[in-house]
Amino acid sequence: MIQLRNIRKVFNEGRPNEYIALHDLSLTIAAHQVTALTGPSGSGKTTLLSLLGCMARPTAGRIVLQGREITSLPERFLTDIRRKTFGFIFQQFNLLGGISVIENVMLPAYPLGQPFSTLKPQALGLLELFNLAHKAAAKVEWLSGGEAQRTAIARALVNHPEVIIADEPTAHLDTRLSREFMDIMGDFKAQGKTILIASHDPLVHESPVVDRVVRMRDGRITDSGVI
Amino acid sequence: MIRSIEKQRNILDFTLSSLWRRRGKNLALLVVYTLVVFSLGSVMFFTQALKNEAAIILRGTPEIIVQKLVAGRHELIPVAYAQKITAIRGVEAVKDRLWGYYFDPIGRANYTLMVPESIDLKDNEIVVGAGISRVRQVFRGNAMLLRTYDGRPISFLIKGILSPESELLSSDLLLISAAGFRQLFGVPRHDATDLTVQVFNKKEIPTIAGKIVNTLPDTRVITRDEILRTYDAVFDWRGGIMIAILAGAVLAFLIFAWDKAAGLSAEEKREIGILKAIGWETTDVLQMKFWEGMVVSLSSFFIGVILAYFHIFYASATLFEPVLKGWSTLYPAFSLTPFISGYQIAILFFFTVLPYTVATIIPAWRAATIDPDVVMRY
């Protein structure tokens, strides 16, 4: 599904604070599986996720998504791929404060020009799926950690993505909510979605839902986890 | 096409709820912005309406006025000059006029005295403007005492008060008979203040004016166009004073707007990053910021313009009265005829809405071009 070929990512290239986040890294992510990236802080998990999710470009190397080379695409096309193919769940949830739960869920669909009359029921349906329909009109500041997490998941699904990318999704959750999160990921896998999770939480990479664990350190893959 | 409209509707919808989230900041901006548009709009409407009013009134003024000059100063003109002017080809009629100024120590104001052509007044009768009536507390049928040039008091009977509709020019006006005028100021029978000339063909006005100067070298010839130009200059000057005062306010507004609109807070930058990460393009973010700027600036613009309109045309420009109104020391209380030109609105729009929109778009563009992966690192 996604192939990374000799990927290198350098931040602040040519400056005194130059930092190499990924060194000549190659990886193939299979479709309809749950892949976990694990490793200590600074190992390059988040950088790798952002490259996989078309949020950033590599300094060198190629990324191939469903047979199409996407590294050299202009920003417009990359954004289009990002919003149609990927749904993101961030470590801090990254919900927008001051607006309602349902507005947060609908946000990724706004630029696609989907009529409000169909978008709203669709967002409500997602909230129902996560037992949040009663909180649709509530402001996100009033949500508990678990509710905010589920709102973020609903938002990631609004554009029907094939791939779900989650960065340290359990960092702010207790054990029960973390397990609940992994169960939801299991459901998505059963629906045929591809899931990529970056986490150093054993609850994630030791979960039976996970098919493959890729271990990283210092911007390199130490164990590609191929079964 | 429909998708594009829906997209704009969605973005606008989000923009409005975004504005509401930061309502404290945005309301403060709206109030200051409205005040600036209101002040500038008031000055523009007022000066333009005054010019317009004056132009309407001056339509009835003579085509050519001839005044005698002595050492560069306006002097009384011999009535006999009228015959020499009548002899010039193309001149239809020449009339002599009597007018002047009178300082009234009681009212502590200058009055404009005129001998009217159309109103028949007896030697001891006068008609006064509404301003004089107010200051001196005199009304129709009362007597009003004036002092002659040599200090003798003369009593005049007030035959009427001028209608308030023409108050712009008539507030301090006092109409008097020719005999009364001559008695009051000691003007000899063979002299007049100036002469008015009517011509057959309006296109010949400049030629005839030239011929009058040639025939009577000690005179000054004033055409109606020149008077209109003077009025324009006077009103522009008055408007200019207000603009100069307001320049400070405008500058303060620009600094305020720059600070509030241009300086995106860290929170706003983070939000732009989130929007990009969840699939918004740079252009989508820019469109949102454009709508945001338009909502604030257009609302302020329309509220400001409407308030200015009511202030000038329905509230008699109360706030600007001391600076903009008044011909002598009397401040005429009058209502202006509502008048707005597209040009004025365009100028106002250009100086308020445009700078604000640019001020909001540029920093948003800088923030919108950041890589979306930045939000992954918060």
Side-chain angles (χ1 to χ4, degrees):
Chain A
M1 167 126 197
I2 311 171
Q3 276 185 299
L4 305 180
R5 292 178 195 158
N6 309 105
I7 293 295
R8 181 180 148 85
K9 179 68 179 175
V10 183
F11 290 105
N12 307 317
E13 197 174 14
R15 290 189 213 155
N17 56 344
E18 182 179 281
Y19 173 71
I20 305 172
L22 297 175
H23 299 264
D24 199 31
L25 190 147
S26 294
L27 183 70
T28 302
I29 307 284
H32 319 305
Q33 280 194 354
V34 178
T35 305
L37 305 174
T38 187
S41 291
S43 59
K45 301 185 298 291
T46 301
T47 306
L48 184 56
L49 269 195
S50 63
L51 293 178
L52 285 165
C54 300
M55 280 204 195
R57 289 170 203 276
T59 311
R62 294 269 178 268
I63 300 173
V64 180
L65 174 71
Q66 292 167 328
R68 186 182 182 196
E69 204 277 313
I70 57 165
T71 332
S72 52
L73 289 178
E75 194 221 321
R76 266 187 62 211
F77 294 95
L78 268 187
T79 309
D80 198 48
I81 292 172
R82 190 164 70 238
R83 65 182 163 209
K84 286 179 177 158
T85 315
F86 301 100
F88 294 91
I89 301 163
F90 304 98
Q91 184 175 352
Q92 307 281 354
F93 312 140
N94 280 339
L95 298 172
L96 291 197
I99 57 171
S100 67
V101 168
I102 193 158
E103 276 182 287
N104 263 287
V105 173
M106 292 190 296
L107 264 181
Y110 280 168
L112 294 174
Q114 191 179 340
F116 206 72
S117 53
T118 60
L119 182 55
K120 200 172 175 184
Q122 185 190 327
L124 263 177
L126 282 169
L127 288 176
E128 259 167 39
L129 196 69
F130 297 110
N131 295 321
L132 280 171
H134 63 291
K135 297 269 182 177
K139 293 223 167 85
V140 288
E141 293 91 327
W142 305 340
L143 300 179
S144 67
E147 287 169 338
Q149 167 78 285
R150 280 179 283 147
T151 304
I153 301 171
R155 183 179 66 181
L157 293 176
V158 76
N159 284 340
H160 312 290
E162 289 172 53
V163 185
I164 291 172
I165 293 181
D167 184 28
E168 300 287 358
T170 58
H172 299 283
L173 302 180
D174 59 21
T175 308
R176 185 181 62 82
L177 287 172
S178 298
R179 290 214 167 98
E180 197 177 281
F181 174 80
M182 289 314 293
D183 289 343
I184 294 168
M185 292 302 118
D187 292 342
F188 291 157
K189 186 173 116 179
Q191 289 165 22
K193 293 198 188 294
T194 305
I195 296 154
L196 286 162
I197 307 172
S199 174
H200 50 244
D201 182 355
L203 263 175
V204 173
H205 49 85
E206 287 169 10
S207 162
V209 171
V210 175
D211 298 295
R212 180 185 175 194
V213 178
V214 177
R215 294 183 195 280
M216 296 181 70
R217 184 173 279 274
D218 302 327
R220 291 184 172 89
I221 292 173
T222 53
D223 177 3
S224 66
V226 178
I227 308 149
Chain B
M1 181 67 188
I2 291 168
R3 276 205 171 254
S4 165
I5 293 169
E6 285 295 341
K7 177 180 165 179
Q8 292 306 322
R9 276 181 59 182
N10 291 341
I11 292 177
L12 183 58
D13 192 65
F14 175 66
T15 305
L16 291 177
S17 68
S18 226
L19 284 171
W20 185 245
R21 282 188 297 158
R22 287 181 270 274
R23 52 188 169 277
K25 168 189 157 180
N26 288 317
L27 275 177
L29 190 60
L30 197 84
V31 168
V32 178
Y33 201 149
T34 304
L35 263 175
V36 170
V37 176
F38 165 77
S39 313
L40 286 174
S42 292
V43 174
M44 287 181 80
F45 289 160
F46 192 82
T47 37
Q48 193 57 42
L50 273 186
K51 278 199 238 175
N52 221 38
E53 196 108 339
I56 294 166
I57 294 164
L58 287 169
R59 243 175 249 160
T61 59
E63 286 145 359
I64 299 173
I65 295 167
V66 183
Q67 294 178 336
K68 187 181 177 197
L69 291 184
V70 172
R73 306 281 299 175
H74 178 198
E75 265 284 317
L76 293 175
I77 192 165
V79 177
Y81 276 24
Q83 287 157 4
K84 291 182 183 172
I85 297 170
T86 315
I88 296 170
R89 275 171 72 98
V91 172
E92 191 182 350
V94 182
K95 283 176 189 160
D96 55 285
R97 289 199 310 186
L98 287 169
W99 59 268
Y101 302 109
Y102 177 90
F103 178 72
D104 178 17
I106 300 169
R108 278 188 290 176
N110 263 314
Y111 304 151
T112 305
L113 270 67
M114 262 184 81
V115 176
E117 279 179 37
S118 51
I119 308 169
D120 269 335
L121 293 169
K122 288 185 190 143
D123 290 2
N124 68 335
E125 281 179 346
I126 53 171
V127 173
V128 297
I132 298 176
S133 166
R134 261 198 310 275
V135 168
R136 288 286 296 255
Q137 285 296 301
V138 287
F139 305 96
R140 189 190 163 96
N142 289 166
M144 187 168 154
L145 212 62
L146 298 174
R147 279 188 183 277
T148 61
Y149 68 101
D150 53 1
R152 284 177 297 115
I154 314 178
S155 176
F156 288 94
L157 179 73
I158 297 174
K159 197 186 171 191
I161 310 288
L162 289 164
S163 106
E165 278 149 44
S166 58
E167 217 178 321
L168 174 59
L169 289 177
S170 69
S171 180
D172 61 348
L173 192 62
L174 191 150
L175 300 179
I176 187 168
S177 67
F181 187 91
R182 289 181 193 284
Q183 196 185 356
L184 197 62
F185 293 114
V187 177
R189 292 196 69 80
H190 51 81
D191 281 345
T193 312
D194 53 24
L195 302 173
T196 65
V197 181
Q198 219 177 323
V199 298
F200 286 111
N201 183 357
K202 307 283 175 275
K203 286 180 185 164
E204 284 182 358
I205 290 175
T207 321
I208 292 172
K211 283 182 182 172
I212 295 172
V213 177
N214 283 337
T215 317
L216 304 163
D218 60 344
T219 61
R220 160 170 78 180
V221 178
I222 305 160
T223 63
R224 184 156 61 195
D225 285 349
E226 285 166 351
I227 298 176
L228 280 174
R229 272 208 301 278
T230 310
Y231 270 72
D232 270 1
V234 167
F235 288 130
D236 278 345
W237 174 76
R238 278 162 186 261
I241 291 176
M242 272 315 286
I243 298 271
I245 296 166
L246 283 174
V250 172
L251 199 69
F253 166 71
L254 285 179
I255 295 165
F256 176 80
W258 183 259
D259 180 51
K260 291 284 172 193
L264 283 179
S265 65
E267 175 65 17
E268 283 175 281
K269 281 184 192 157
R270 183 177 157 266
E271 282 186 12
I272 289 177
I274 294 174
L275 290 175
K276 286 203 75 179
I278 61 173
W280 284 46
E281 267 180 51
T282 303
T283 51
D284 299 330
V285 175
L286 286 180
Q287 277 170 12
M288 181 189 81
K289 284 286 159 192
F290 169 78
W291 283 120
E292 204 174 293
M294 284 308 268
V295 168
V296 172
S297 55
L298 277 183
S299 310
S300 312
F301 181 75
F302 285 122
I303 299 171
V305 165
I306 292 167
L307 285 178
Y309 185 87
F310 277 95
H311 171 223
I312 299 305
F313 299 119
Y314 293 96
S316 300
T318 328
L319 300 177
F320 296 159
E321 214 161 34
V323 184
L324 291 174
K325 279 190 187 177
W327 291 80
S328 53
T329 46
L330 294 177
Y331 295 139
F334 59 87
S335 293
L336 289 162
T337 318
F339 173 81
I340 287 184
S341 72
Y343 176 72
Q344 278 180 294
I345 300 287
I347 292 271
L348 204 54
F349 188 87
F350 189 78
F351 281 105
T352 53
V353 175
L354 223 62
Y356 181 78
T357 310
V358 172
T360 43
I361 281 288
I362 290 173
W365 173 74
R366 267 188 290 172
T369 47
I370 55 164
D371 276 338
D373 69 323
V374 172
V375 290
M376 304 268 283
R377 299 173 193 287
Y378 280 106

